[in-house]
Amino acid sequence: MLLATIGIERGLLGPREADRIWGRHLFNSAALAPLVASSATVVDLGSGAGLPGIPLALARPDLRVVLLEPMARRVQFLEECVRELGLGNVTVHRGRAQDGVPVTADAVTARAVAPLAALAALAFPLCRRDGVLYALKGAKAAAEAAELDRGGGFVSIIHNLTDADDEPATVVEVRRSNKRGRKAP
């Protein structure tokens, strides 16, 4: 398992995370699989150790996944993972959201990148007009969603994942509005 070995050796995950890789990292990331539309193009924003992008790509080979990461050492790790796992549906792009990506996404995923409002501001320029952000969030998910959803109708909490040893992880869906007169967050 790449995350439990070179992922920890290279500082992509902390040494105490080895025993929690399945429950806290991989299963939570794979929970996005049933939410993403068929054959969608997905940008995993701030991919880091490949979470949630790589588990999503493994679970959903019909998706085109772009792992977007600005740090060279993380990009190198992601490229190694993609090669080792034979993921033909995944590309790695070194860069920041503000600089754009070589595709227009149907969906953007993110985990541990930024508070929801800032994350939506980074994600939506990468999305089609009717795109969606799927953010994996922790204990503050409901508060962040409520703060962002002041206009109503854009944000919903989709799935609450719990594990006896970990804090809950929640998938928050933020839809970009395609209606005139309403701006997405």
Side-chain angles (χ1 to χ4, degrees):
M1 156 142 340
L2 297 168
L3 278 176
T5 57
I6 62 174
I8 291 174
E9 290 167 15
R10 295 182 189 177
L12 294 159
L13 290 178
R16 290 184 285 170
E17 295 300 305
D19 293 336
R20 301 176 353 167
I21 286 176
W22 285 101
R24 183 171 190 192
H25 301 291
L26 297 175
F27 290 148
N28 284 352
S29 295
L32 295 172
L35 303 176
V36 180
S38 182
S39 301
T41 297
V42 178
V43 172
D44 182 24
L45 184 61
S47 197
L51 302 168
I54 290 177
L56 180 60
L58 286 166
R60 293 283 306 279
D62 64 304
L63 302 177
R64 179 178 176 201
V65 178
V66 176
L67 305 176
L68 179 62
E69 172 57 48
M71 293 182 63
R73 70 180 178 88
R74 291 178 180 167
V75 167
Q76 181 182 5
F77 172 79
L78 294 171
E79 289 171 340
E80 289 175 38
C81 289
V82 169
R83 270 193 312 275
E84 180 79 21
L85 296 169
L87 292 172
N89 61 331
V90 177
T91 57
V92 179
H93 182 78
R94 183 173 180 203
R96 299 173 341 134
Q98 301 89 323
D99 302 330
V101 290
V103 299
T104 302
D106 299 300
V108 173
T109 61
R111 181 177 186 263
V113 172
L116 198 55
L119 188 55
L122 291 171
F124 284 142
L126 306 175
C127 282
R128 298 185 192 290
R129 185 175 176 138
D130 59 348
V132 62
L133 164 64
Y134 294 108
L136 281 163
K137 290 295 195 173
K140 297 180 183 178
E144 288 184 39
E147 182 178 323
L148 182 62
D149 198 30
R150 289 186 187 134
F154 294 108
V155 181
S156 54
I157 295 179
I158 299 293
H159 200 292
N160 191 17
L161 304 165
T162 58
D163 185 292
D165 298 328
D166 295 318
E167 68 180 63
T170 302
V171 178
V172 180
E173 176 187 87
V174 185
R175 291 220 166 256
R176 184 174 183 186
S177 174
N178 60 359
K179 297 179 182 179
R180 291 180 181 245
R182 286 183 72 182
K183 291 185 178 180

